[in-house]
Amino acid sequence: MKKFLAIAFLLFAGCILKAQNYPSDWVKYTSDRYFHDIESASSKQTALDLSRTNLARQIQVKVQEQSQIDKQAVNGKTSVLYSSQKNFSTDVDMDLAQTQSYYDESASKYYVITYINRQEACNYYENDVKMFVSNVNNIIAIADNYINTGFKSKAKDELQRALDMFDGRIGKPFFWMNVFGLDEYEIRQYLNKVNKLEQTVKSKLADLEYGTTYCIVCTADNFGRKYFKLQNEIKGDLSESGCNFVDDPNTADYVIYIDAAAREYNKVETGNVTAYHSFVDAAIAIDKVATNQRIYEDEISVKGSHTLSFDEAGRDGYKKIRKEISKMLKENIKL
């Protein structure tokens, strides 16, 4: 019975179209599977403009009646929700519109139909979402490779680029899939996949925020006595810039080697005052653990002075050289 009614409808619609001088094969574009509009005019361009304009109005009405994308935070996670919004306004997407024209010689008129296949439109935006997911996954793979090879700053840049993409373009295909009538369950499936992917990117970024670690291996000798303050003070300087430290060189991203020692320089007597001068010499090196590569190496010497002894002059030298070493390290490690 249903089959008979469908055939009868097509025959009836075909007769109407034929009677109105439209091509009979246009009847298929008048079903619910399409947005469509048919116009006639003495000028083909006029009929085309009218048809496209009226089709755009149809879709605009659909937009206003249906929904908008409302992006909001729910329990710390980003969720894309739909809500009815009568006054929603947006540029109607006519990129998928197709047209056909027919000239009726007896009436000296052009007939133009403009239509959009809803399923094809949904497929188009589904592919857009799939391409988006693929692109983000590729970026994550690149970031993971950077992490595995010790380039965490580059990994962070890649992941931030991926995160920016979620705000930049992912809303549009979801909106149009809804307008063109994709099944709500399928939309939710895509939403869940995109939301999960966004959380993955955010999680990896959070891990990298304080993820780069450093280990300082320091030996500092001041005339036979160990000068422990040098390592602790340099750690303090670098911590202020966001460095995180571990004690085991094998678990660090970078290992900083400092080998320092004080030596006598001279003693100058001026009247009743004796000035002792000592030099503190330090060799500094930075190794990148992931690549087993020495990325920096240098030496520095600083003179210290005091009126009590070479030992105190050495301490003064350490106070001065600590600032120079911290400055050098900040310039040569990725903070």
Side-chain angles (χ1 to χ4, degrees):
M1 182 63 179
K2 290 183 179 179
K3 184 176 182 182
F4 171 77
L5 290 175
I7 294 173
F9 170 76
L10 291 174
L11 291 173
F12 177 71
C15 290
I16 292 176
L17 292 177
K18 186 173 182 181
Q20 294 181 344
N21 297 322
Y22 306 152
S24 60
D25 61 349
W26 286 9
V27 66
K28 61 185 177 183
Y29 303 122
T30 63
S31 71
D32 289 340
R33 294 187 296 117
Y34 295 84
F35 282 119
H36 77 282
D37 184 78
I38 301 173
E39 300 293 337
S40 63
S42 57
S43 164
K44 180 179 178 180
Q45 187 60 50
T46 300
L48 177 61
D49 291 342
L50 284 171
S51 182
R52 288 182 63 85
T53 298
N54 288 332
L55 179 62
R57 286 173 180 168
Q58 284 184 44
I59 299 176
Q60 185 67 61
V61 169
K62 183 70 173 177
V63 166
Q64 291 171 346
E65 290 178 349
Q66 203 154 0
S67 62
Q68 74 171 23
I69 288 182
D70 180 23
K71 191 173 184 181
Q72 54 185 279
V74 179
N75 296 328
K77 295 182 180 180
T78 299
S79 179
V80 181
L81 305 175
Y82 291 104
S83 61
S84 177
Q85 185 82 6
K86 292 290 185 181
N87 61 352
F88 184 84
S89 63
T90 185
D91 293 333
V92 173
D93 193 335
M94 292 289 289
D95 292 341
L96 301 176
Q98 300 181 60
T99 62
Q100 292 188 30
S101 63
Y102 169 75
Y103 181 65
D104 182 2
E105 293 183 0
S106 63
S108 299
K109 283 185 177 181
Y110 284 94
Y111 293 89
V112 172
I113 182 170
T114 304
Y115 58 91
I116 296 177
N117 185 308
R118 295 187 186 211
Q119 185 58 54
E120 289 180 359
C122 287
N123 292 342
Y124 175 86
Y125 289 111
E126 282 184 271
N127 288 333
D128 202 13
V129 173
K130 291 175 183 177
M131 182 62 70
F132 174 86
V133 169
S134 177
N135 288 340
V136 173
N137 278 324
N138 287 339
I139 293 175
I140 291 175
I142 292 172
D144 286 343
N145 185 58
Y146 278 138
I147 292 171
N148 293 334
T149 54
F151 295 96
K152 292 189 177 181
S153 61
K154 290 185 177 181
K156 187 175 179 180
D157 291 341
E158 289 293 324
L159 291 170
Q160 186 60 55
R161 181 165 68 92
L163 187 60
D164 292 341
M165 290 169 61
F166 286 88
D167 291 329
R169 61 175 289 264
I170 193 55
K172 179 179 178 180
F174 278 107
F175 174 78
W176 287 110
M177 284 191 295
N178 192 38
V179 169
F180 285 116
L182 186 66
D183 182 77
E184 182 69 16
Y185 174 78
E186 293 186 67
I187 292 177
R188 290 294 172 183
Q189 290 293 100
Y190 285 122
L191 283 173
N192 290 337
K193 182 176 292 187
V194 169
N195 287 339
K196 184 177 179 180
L197 195 60
E198 184 176 15
Q199 294 309 312
T200 297
V201 173
K202 287 182 176 180
S203 177
K204 286 179 176 291
L205 269 173
D207 291 342
L208 288 173
E209 188 65 30
Y210 297 101
T212 303
T213 56
Y214 302 85
C215 177
I216 295 181
V217 178
C218 179
T219 58
D221 177 81
N222 188 42
F223 300 106
R225 295 186 180 90
K226 291 183 179 180
Y227 190 80
F228 295 106
K229 289 181 67 176
L230 180 64
Q231 178 172 334
N232 294 333
E233 289 176 344
I234 290 175
K235 273 189 177 182
D237 292 340
L238 298 181
S239 294
E240 292 176 358
S241 299
C243 285
N244 300 288
F245 294 97
V246 294
D247 295 327
D248 185 358
N250 295 317
T251 63
D253 295 303
Y254 296 91
V255 179
I256 298 169
Y257 295 96
I258 302 171
D259 187 9
R263 58 182 170 87
E264 294 182 6
Y265 177 58
N266 64 12
K267 180 174 67 175
V268 179
E269 296 181 359
T270 306
N272 296 326
V273 178
T274 301
Y276 296 88
H277 301 288
S278 299
F279 267 97
V280 175
D281 305 315
I284 304 103
I286 305 173
D287 286 356
K288 186 173 184 178
V289 176
T291 59
N292 195 28
Q293 176 187 12
R294 176 146 294 182
I295 62 172
Y296 179 78
E297 192 169 18
D298 203 354
E299 295 181 355
I300 185 174
S301 294
V302 173
K303 185 171 73 173
S305 303
H306 208 278
T307 58
L308 292 180
S309 64
F310 286 113
D311 181 83
E312 291 298 325
R315 289 177 177 273
D316 181 59
Y318 270 111
K319 291 178 183 178
K320 294 177 181 177
I321 204 170
R322 158 246 173 153
K323 296 179 181 179
E324 296 298 321
I325 293 175
S326 293
K327 180 181 177 182
M328 292 170 65
L329 292 176
K330 288 179 182 179
E331 292 173 351
N332 290 279
I333 61 177
K334 196 68 174 179
L335 298 174

